[in-house]
Amino acid sequence: VQLQASGGGSVQPGGALRLSCAASGFRLDDYDIGWFRQAPPSEREGISCTSRDGTTYYPNSVKGRFTISRDSAKNTVYLQMRDLRPEDTAVYYCARSGGCHFPESAFDSWGPGTQVTVSS
């Protein structure tokens, strides 16, 4: 059982990236899936979540710029990021949970994350 985040890289401010979260050993559609990020020394923060019924959640810091989506056939969740800013620089992770509203401690199957760097 594992989630693997990929698709990170280095982009200039205003650029875009699409992150992928691929599942192995279980069906993504059986869980709510969240994206998180961490830029040391800050704590990890939740930035998006998609529930099994299709509801999506975003904090104000990324609302209107980031879009989460599912591809059931590929057992993958995506995070499309647009209008990237230097403050979006972080390691991005995906994880699963029984509910998007659950605390971060209820999410599991964390993978190693993917680095996103936004710099001119």
Side-chain angles (χ1 to χ4, degrees):
V1 174
Q2 186 177 8
L3 284 169
Q4 180 66 55
S6 63
S10 296
V11 296
Q12 294 185 340
L17 283 172
R18 189 179 76 160
L19 305 184
S20 299
C21 174
S24 59
F26 69 98
R27 283 175 12 105
L28 276 176
D29 284 352
D30 291 339
Y31 293 87
D32 291 13
I33 303 298
W35 280 99
F36 300 80
R37 68 185 181 187
Q38 185 171 22
S42 301
E43 293 186 353
R44 190 162 56 193
E45 63 169 330
I47 57 168
S48 186
C49 193
T50 174
S51 64
R52 281 156 287 177
D53 67 1
T55 306
T56 57
Y57 303 89
Y58 307 93
N60 288 335
S61 58
V62 304
K63 191 175 294 183
R65 300 189 298 123
F66 291 9
T67 304
I68 191 170
S69 62
R70 293 178 183 257
D71 185 331
S72 299
K74 295 184 178 180
N75 210 28
T76 299
V77 170
Y78 300 101
L79 185 68
Q80 178 68 53
M81 307 186 295
R82 298 182 176 87
D83 189 22
L84 284 163
R85 305 167 181 171
E87 54 264 38
D88 295 318
T89 296
V91 178
Y92 285 67
Y93 305 86
C94 55
R96 69 177 189 177
S97 172
C100 282
H101 60 286
F102 288 2
E104 185 180 312
S105 59
F107 284 77
D108 65 11
S109 301
W110 299 87
T114 185
Q115 176 72 46
V116 172
T117 302
V118 185
S119 173
S120 56

